[in-house]
Amino acid sequence: MMRNPRYTLVILLFLVAGIRATAADSAPSSNISMNGDWNFVADPTGKLAVSDLGTVTNVRPTRVPSSWQEQFTDLRDYAGVAWYWRTVKLEVRPDASHQSALLRFGAVDYLADVYVNGQKVGSHEGGYLPFEFDVAMHLQTGENQIAVRVVDPGANPSEIEGIKYAEIPHGKQNWYVQTSGLWQGVEYEVRPKMHLRNVHITAGMDGKFKIQVVVNNVTVDLPIGEPLRVKARITDAGGKEVWSGAAELKRDQAAYELAGSVAN
């Protein structure tokens, strides 16, 4: 959203096609919050594997989002390795040829290895930024296990699996209490295979602006005939359109830029 003295400007972005969509493309997106009850176990030796989670002892229930220091008083000063896991039941497995099944984490401190049904789907390093993985190929109809292995060094020990606490971004945790683990929310979302991923808007005081858009999977199902476009329009506070623009999608091109200006 952009503001100036005359308008409250709302920017709407969407993909537009002049062809009939497939059933998978027109199916509504679904979203499942995975916040709430998870299983948790500390792994001080770092030797547990995802295949061990069904038989491991000392498993505790935990709430996500939260840090393990917040949940467990005996782990208030624990820095090291831990596992989180839970199941999610899907009535229908997503169609991986036409849909993306995004497993999205708000933040995990610090290094996260993510597994779906025992298969590693990706890793993310950094405790403060969101990340996601497309897990459609790893899902099945019915019960699915989601597991996360977390590594977080602290003041003691200050290095774990080659990660040095002094060399990673952190705040005043060593003064107070660390925030390790799945300390932000988790969600599962099914979207069309081709979808908007990132939007960055730069606006100036002179009314000029740029809208930079990244589209996922542009190579999937590009239409034959009338082209597919990413379109943006700006409306004022009363809903009147004051600007619109569009860019035609091209195969193997993910990034697009729209530019224009509105009256101050």
Side-chain angles (χ1 to χ4, degrees), residues 54-200:
T55 57
V56 67
T57 58
N58 300 318
V59 177
R60 319 186 201 191
T62 190
R63 299 285 293 176
V64 171
S66 67
S67 68
W68 66 61
Q69 291 90 352
E70 176 188 1
Q71 287 284 294
F72 309 112
T73 56
D74 61 313
L75 298 181
R76 190 67 53 88
D77 297 318
Y78 175 68
V81 180
W83 285 86
Y84 293 79
W85 71 99
R86 61 160 291 174
T87 59
V88 59
K89 185 175 182 179
L90 302 178
E91 297 299 329
V92 179
R93 174 187 175 181
D95 179 357
S97 62
H98 293 285
Q99 295 175 306
S100 290
L102 302 178
L103 186 58
R104 184 179 298 116
F105 297 82
V108 178
D109 196 4
Y110 170 73
L111 174 66
D113 294 327
V114 180
Y115 298 80
V116 175
N117 292 325
Q119 300 298 311
K120 187 175 180 179
V121 298
S123 299
H124 180 267
E125 183 173 354
Y128 302 101
L129 294 176
F131 61 95
E132 64 186 26
F133 300 111
D134 187 347
V135 300
M137 294 292 294
H138 302 275
L139 295 171
Q140 60 193 18
T141 299
E143 296 289 335
N144 292 266
Q145 184 198 64
I146 310 298
V148 185
R149 184 182 191 264
V150 180
V151 182
D152 192 26
N156 184 26
S158 61
E159 182 177 350
I160 300 173
E161 298 187 359
I163 303 172
K164 297 180 180 179
Y165 183 64
E167 297 179 357
I168 65 175
H170 60 272
K172 298 180 180 179
Q173 291 95 322
N174 55 331
W175 292 9
Y176 304 105
V177 177
Q178 278 194 226
T179 306
S180 303
L182 278 62
W183 69 283
Q184 293 291 302
V186 183
E187 65 179 356
Y188 165 85
E189 182 181 11
V190 176
R191 304 177 74 178
K193 192 75 172 179
M194 184 164 57
H195 58 269
L196 296 179
R197 187 176 73 198
N198 296 326
V199 178
H200 184 264

Side-chain angles (χ1 to χ4, degrees), residues 196-227:
L196 296 179
R197 187 176 73 198
N198 296 326
V199 178
H200 184 264
I201 300 170
T202 305
M205 294 296 291
D206 57 359
K208 294 180 180 180
F209 60 87
K210 292 181 180 180
I211 305 172
Q212 296 168 308
V213 183
V214 177
V215 182
N216 257 18
N217 300 307
V218 179
T219 58
V220 178
D221 292 338
L222 275 180
I224 299 175
E226 187 171 348

